[in-house]
Amino acid sequence: MKEGSLREIQLLMKAVTPIFIYGAPTNYQSMPELRGAPFRGQLRYWFRALNPDLTKTDLETRESHIFGSTDVGSRVKITVKPSGIPLEIGNRYYLPHKIYPRSTPRDKRIFSKPAILEDSEFLMWLQCTNQSVQAPFIKAFLLWLNLGGVGFRARRGFGSLRVIDSRVPELELEDQRLIELLKQTKFSDGNQLIDHLQRVLSVVLPNTPLISNAMANFPSSSGSASYPSFSDGKWSLLVCEKPFDTYEDAMKQFWRDNLRINGIKDDRAFGYARGGR
């Protein structure tokens, strides 16, 4: 692919959990706004997570080659817009595990924000202008799609998405499995989800053994990066055996039960800003 040519992947996305995403500071916390910039920011984050062994200088060079910098333009583009059906907007609790039947109206109000609601659909276009950035770009996208979210409270499970339809051209990729893994499906139990996640990780982190069980440790790394990355002892993947009826049920059980043990509830990975994130 020559520099300047444009290849495009079109995805129909569905919100699994509410998306707290807003515009410029003057519009902050007023009405949710669908924009491409927050998604690009997330892909930078997951690109860094994929490369824990790089020095800061090498990481900045590679990241700039893909996503651009003040000195060079981006070779990738993310565009989002409603699918033709207006996005459904409403208030949602961003701390659902803090809302009890006995909670006061004030409690419920201060833990609530306007959001793009769960099950909302919108279109997303991924575009690359250079063949050399396609594979690392889509690898970062796959990690974000399966393990991350976008917007406020993304570290707590909000802003999670899945692909429900796709239009993918024949891209010149080293591994076509990257494209196939974009076409997600719903999973009826935890084993199916584990199989899917292991396929994703085996492609985005090739030649790296994964420990396969209910709590699978991620690959170790000799790097000492100060940013979140796939380094030894820093990542684990927890998968429940059966699906929950609603996202709220899942969040309530996870945050009430699982993160009250072993000091996990105060870990910075979940958004606690003590000493930086």
Side-chain angles (χ1 to χ4, degrees), residues 18-22 28 94 113 150-155 158-159:
I19 308 172
F20 299 102
I21 186 172
Y22 307 96
Y28 185 68
Y94 58 86
K113 285 181 181 290
V150 67
F152 179 74
R153 307 294 288 183
R155 293 172 186 256
F158 286 99

Side-chain angles (χ1 to χ4, degrees), residues 268 271-277:
R268 292 187 303 170
Y272 291 90
R274 299 172 183 174
R277 286 179 175 160

Side-chain angles (χ1 to χ4, degrees), residues 233-266:
K234 299 299 183 183
W235 291 82
S236 293
L237 183 62
L238 289 79
V239 178
C240 61
E241 295 180 355
K242 297 179 181 179
F244 291 89
D245 291 332
T246 68
Y247 79 87
E248 287 182 305
D249 290 342
M251 288 184 172
K252 287 176 181 178
Q253 179 168 337
F254 184 76
W255 295 110
R256 287 178 181 173
D257 299 340
N258 294 71
L259 293 191
R260 296 185 183 279
I261 59 174
N262 300 327
I264 298 176
K265 68 183 182 68
D266 293 325

Side-chain angles (χ1 to χ4, degrees), residues 91-134:
N91 275 19
R92 284 292 182 265
Y93 300 127
Y94 58 86
L95 290 177
H97 56 292
K98 294 286 188 180
I99 304 300
Y100 299 86
R102 66 178 182 274
S103 297
T104 67
R106 179 182 179 277
D107 291 335
K108 294 179 179 180
R109 184 175 66 254
I110 64 175
F111 292 139
S112 176
K113 285 181 181 290
I116 299 172
L117 298 186
E118 65 279 9
D119 296 325
S120 294
E121 297 179 7
F122 61 91
L123 293 170
M124 175 181 288
W125 287 268
L126 309 179
Q127 299 167 312
C128 298
T129 62
N130 185 277
Q131 181 181 349
S132 66
V133 305
Q134 285 179 158

Side-chain angles (χ1 to χ4, degrees), residues 167-212:
R167 293 181 183 177
V168 181
E170 292 186 4
L171 301 179
E172 299 173 17
L173 286 174
E174 296 178 0
D175 194 334
Q176 287 297 327
R177 288 184 299 168
L178 287 172
I179 295 299
E180 293 302 317
L181 288 169
L182 286 175
K183 303 172 183 177
Q184 289 181 309
T185 58
K186 294 186 71 173
F187 307 103
S188 59
D189 59 48
N191 288 328
Q192 289 184 2
L193 178 56
I194 288 174
D195 289 342
H196 170 75
L197 292 173
Q198 287 181 330
R199 287 196 299 272
V200 170
L201 293 170
S202 68
V203 171
V204 301
L205 295 164
N207 305 317
T208 305
L210 301 173
I211 303 172
S212 179

